[in-house]
């Protein structure tokens, strides 16, 4: 059976940040034990609905704030995973954490369960930015979290940073970026702030209390970051993601996210989680209480007969992905990979057609406008140009 990735959604946070529109809740921590029970049930359902033991090559605890889980709950999740799936040796296990509430003991326990990559939400080094974003930490807490991680023996570290904030100057962004670099992360994810309606920040903008981010300044910040990170040994491999090379020369990419960008199968467990497996895109019940209830109400004994892989009682939607749609999605996501792009040979092996012929009408104008280019290495691959990184949406639209 093809290797899958496994995403686990933990929808709890100590406080909701002003810009966040993820499926996460504060003040719902009392639900954690039931939620974890539901998550373990879902893992069992999915695993047992498959005729074969599913090989898992990456696991990603995302959220929300997965590091809010007490270590005993994390242990329960790992027991279910180990019992139900075949874990591929050397698998990457990432966990998102917020600085400020970590301890060396907690991180050591995570490492003992196999967690080998931590993604820290640093966002900014500037106290005013952090205040605006309503983050619950300052930069010093990030520094001590990184120290704790190293002490606990977790070597692979990602930092998330946000740019293009209202009132953020280029100068301030440069200082944030340099503060991040000074912590020697192995990987950096840089996101431009988008103002989402329904968030406190969205309502501040709507009421005219806050100005919209300036897209031109954000573009300058992105350009600056690319140039600065290149001088520090970080290589851009996806529009928003940079990695450095390890001592063996290997680029320390996020293997889990590569699975998404390569449009390969993954299981999504937890409230609102999405998956792509068994030729279907799946979407779980969004509300954590309803999610827990749906799993508690189900009769597990008949799971094998009742549910066809990858369905389970927590599922809200499931869509069969046609070959045509899968090809388009492969283009859409693969072109985010700035070096790898979409290679012709594997595309032909997967779909039986040459992408050059299949998407001639879409590709040629984009090449003419300088957004796409053929890289003739290894049988040919189509990728974005440098200009295309900033105008990626214009490219992706062509394949929607
Ligand atoms: S910590 Fe992350 S997931 Fe939680 S509210 Fe803030 S941005 Fe959203």
């Amino acid at each position: 059976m093809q290797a899958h990735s496994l995403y686990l959604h933990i929808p709890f946070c100590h406080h909701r940040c002003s810009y966040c529109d993820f499926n996460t809740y504060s003040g719902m921590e009392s639900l954690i034990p039931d939620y974890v029970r539901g998550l373990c049930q879902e893992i069992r359902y999915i695993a047992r609905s498959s005729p074969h033991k599913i090989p898992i090559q990456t696991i990603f605890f995302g959220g929300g704030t997965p590091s809010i889980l007490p270590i005993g709950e994390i242990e329960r999740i790992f027991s279910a995973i180990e019992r139900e799936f075949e874990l591929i040796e050397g698998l990457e296990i990432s966990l998102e954490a917020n600085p400020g509430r970590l301890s060396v003991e907690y991180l050591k326990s995570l490492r003992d369960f196999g967690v080998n990559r931590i993604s820290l939400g640093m966002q900014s080094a500037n106290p005013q930015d952090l205040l605006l974003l309503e983050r619950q930490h300052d930069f010093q807490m990030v520094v001590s979290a990184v120290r704790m991680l190293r002490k606990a023996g977790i070597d692979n570290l990602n930092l998330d940073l946000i740019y293009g904030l209202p009132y953020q100057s280029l100068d301030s962004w440069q200082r944030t970026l340099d503060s991040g670099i000074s912590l020697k992360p192995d990987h950096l994810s840089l996101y431009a702030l988008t103002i989402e309606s329904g968030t406190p920040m969205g309502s501040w903008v709507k009421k005219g209390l806050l100005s919209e981010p300036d897209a031109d300044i954000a573009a300058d910040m992105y350009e600056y970051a690319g140039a600065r990170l290149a001088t520090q040994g970080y290589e851009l491999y996806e529009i928003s993601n940079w990695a450095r090379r390890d001592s063996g020369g290997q680029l320390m990419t996020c293997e889990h996210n590569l699975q998404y960008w390569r449009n390969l199968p993954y299981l999504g467990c937890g409230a609102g989680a999405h998956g792509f497996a068994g030729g279907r895109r799946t979407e779980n019940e969004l509300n954590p209480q309803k999610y827990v209830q749906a799993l508690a109400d189900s009769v597990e004994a008949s799971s094998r007969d009742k549910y066809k892989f990858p369905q389970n009682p927590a599922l809200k939607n499931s869509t069969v992905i046609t070959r045509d749609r899968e090809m388009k999605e492969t283009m859409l996501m693969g072109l985010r990979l700035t070096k790898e792009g979409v290679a012709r040979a594997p595309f032909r092996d997967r779909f039986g057609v040459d992408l050059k012929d299949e998407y001639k009408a879409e590709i040629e104008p984009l090449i003419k406008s300088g957004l796409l280019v053929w890289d003739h290495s290894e049988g040919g691959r189509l990728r974005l140009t440098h200009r295309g990184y900033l105008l990626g949406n214009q490219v992706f639209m062509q394949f929607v």
Side-chain angles (χ1 to χ4, degrees):
M1 191 178 191
Q2 198 177 3
H4 284 58
S5 287
L6 173 64
Y7 175 77
L8 301 151
H9 189 71
I10 310 298
F12 306 104
C13 286
H14 293 289
H15 172 85
R16 266 195 81 97
C17 305
S18 62
Y19 60 101
C20 178
D21 79 331
F22 296 148
N23 184 35
T24 188
Y25 306 82
S26 59
M28 217 195 254
E29 288 89 325
S30 59
L31 188 69
I32 288 178
D34 287 344
Y35 185 81
V36 169
R37 197 171 306 120
L39 203 55
C40 295
Q41 278 167 339
E42 191 190 359
I43 288 169
R44 271 196 291 278
Y45 269 112
I46 295 180
R48 292 179 189 187
S49 69
S50 163
H52 309 284
K53 219 163 192 190
I54 305 168
I56 299 291
Q57 63 178 7
T58 68
I59 300 174
F60 195 102
F61 287 79
T65 305
S67 58
I68 206 171
L69 294 181
I71 209 70
E73 301 294 355
I74 293 193
E75 186 174 9
R76 282 168 63 191
I77 299 171
F78 272 113
S79 303
I81 292 173
E82 281 163 12
R83 217 173 23 243
E84 303 296 336
F85 296 122
E86 177 200 331
L87 299 186
I88 295 175
E89 212 181 310
L91 81 166
E92 175 192 275
I93 306 181
S94 302
L95 185 137
E96 288 183 332
N98 265 336
R101 296 186 193 233
L102 296 171
S103 70
V104 177
E105 290 65 38
Y106 185 85
L107 293 166
K108 272 187 181 161
S109 302
L110 290 181
R111 188 207 54 198
D112 293 345
F113 291 134
V115 174
N116 47 23
R117 184 175 186 274
I118 291 282
S119 180
L120 268 188
M122 168 180 153
Q123 315 309 356
S124 174
N126 181 308
Q128 263 114 36
D129 292 347
L130 294 169
L131 209 63
L132 179 69
L133 297 170
E134 295 192 352
R135 299 290 301 181
Q136 303 293 294
H137 57 84
D138 60 21
F139 179 62
Q140 265 322 304
M141 290 181 194
V142 181
V143 175
S144 49
V146 172
R147 241 180 247 139
M148 284 184 224
L149 280 168
R150 304 296 190 207
K151 212 165 169 185
I154 299 178
D155 295 328
N156 195 342
L157 165 69
N158 170 61
L159 292 180
D160 279 346
L161 301 183
I162 301 186
Y163 63 94
L165 307 177
Y167 311 121
Q168 187 183 32
S169 64
L170 185 57
D171 196 46
S172 163
W173 165 240
Q174 291 170 351
R175 281 197 299 274
T176 282
L177 188 65
D178 278 345
S179 305
I181 293 170
S182 73
L183 300 174
K184 300 189 169 44
D186 308 286
H187 190 282
L188 280 146
S189 299
L190 311 184
Y191 300 108
L193 177 74
T194 47
I195 307 274
E196 306 287 354
S197 60
T199 61
M201 203 175 262
S203 74
W204 300 336
V205 170
K206 208 169 161 191
K207 287 179 195 153
L209 301 171
L210 192 69
S211 55
E212 287 266 13
D214 183 317
D216 290 336
I217 296 180
D220 289 346
M221 289 177 177
Y222 179 82
E223 286 291 326
Y224 172 82
R228 176 82 183 122
L229 287 170
T231 67
Q232 301 300 304
Y234 292 93
E235 296 177 30
L236 179 74
Y237 72 98
E238 193 272 346
I239 292 179
S240 307
N241 287 278
W242 283 258
R244 67 170 185 81
R245 292 190 182 268
D246 66 12
S247 50
Q250 200 65 29
L251 201 60
M252 296 179 77
T253 51
C254 175
E255 294 301 306
H256 184 85
N257 286 344
L258 277 174
Q259 187 85 350
Y260 299 153
W261 296 319
R262 290 174 180 154
N263 202 21
L264 294 172
Y266 61 95
L267 307 169
C269 294
H274 291 234
F276 174 47
R280 289 171 175 270
R281 290 224 171 257
T282 61
E283 186 190 344
N284 277 354
E285 168 59 52
L286 203 67
N287 180 287
Q289 275 122 344
K290 286 188 186 163
Y291 167 83
V292 168
Q293 200 54 50
L295 285 152
D297 289 345
S298 58
V299 185
E300 199 178 335
S302 59
S303 65
R304 214 182 242 276
D305 309 324
K306 204 166 152 193
Y307 295 102
K308 195 168 168 286
F309 177 74
Q311 291 167 322
N312 75 83
L315 216 64
K316 204 174 81 184
N317 283 312
S318 156
T319 315
V320 174
I321 301 299
T322 60
R323 177 178 161 277
D324 185 53
R325 182 156 165 197
E326 190 174 333
M327 282 197 296
K328 281 183 179 152
E329 288 176 352
T330 302
M331 296 301 293
L332 196 74
M333 289 184 271
L335 287 173
R336 296 192 63 89
L337 294 168
T338 52
K339 289 185 174 182
E340 190 174 309
V342 184
R344 279 173 85 184
F347 191 92
R348 202 183 305 114
D349 293 345
R350 185 168 170 180
F351 298 110
V353 290
D354 191 327
L355 74 94
K356 202 168 184 172
D357 303 329
E358 187 68 25
Y359 294 115
K360 197 166 182 248
E362 289 84 356
I363 294 171
E364 283 185 356
L366 292 167
I367 289 183
K368 276 198 190 113
S369 49
L371 299 176
L372 282 181
V373 66
W374 279 108
D375 175 339
H376 296 291
S377 64
E378 298 167 62
R381 54 183 71 244
L382 186 68
R383 55 174 179 78
L384 292 174
T385 59
H386 185 85
R387 187 162 169 258
Y389 301 165
L390 281 171
L391 301 172
N393 283 343
Q394 278 184 32
V395 176
F396 307 143
M397 286 290 287
Q398 296 299 317
F399 296 96
V400 174

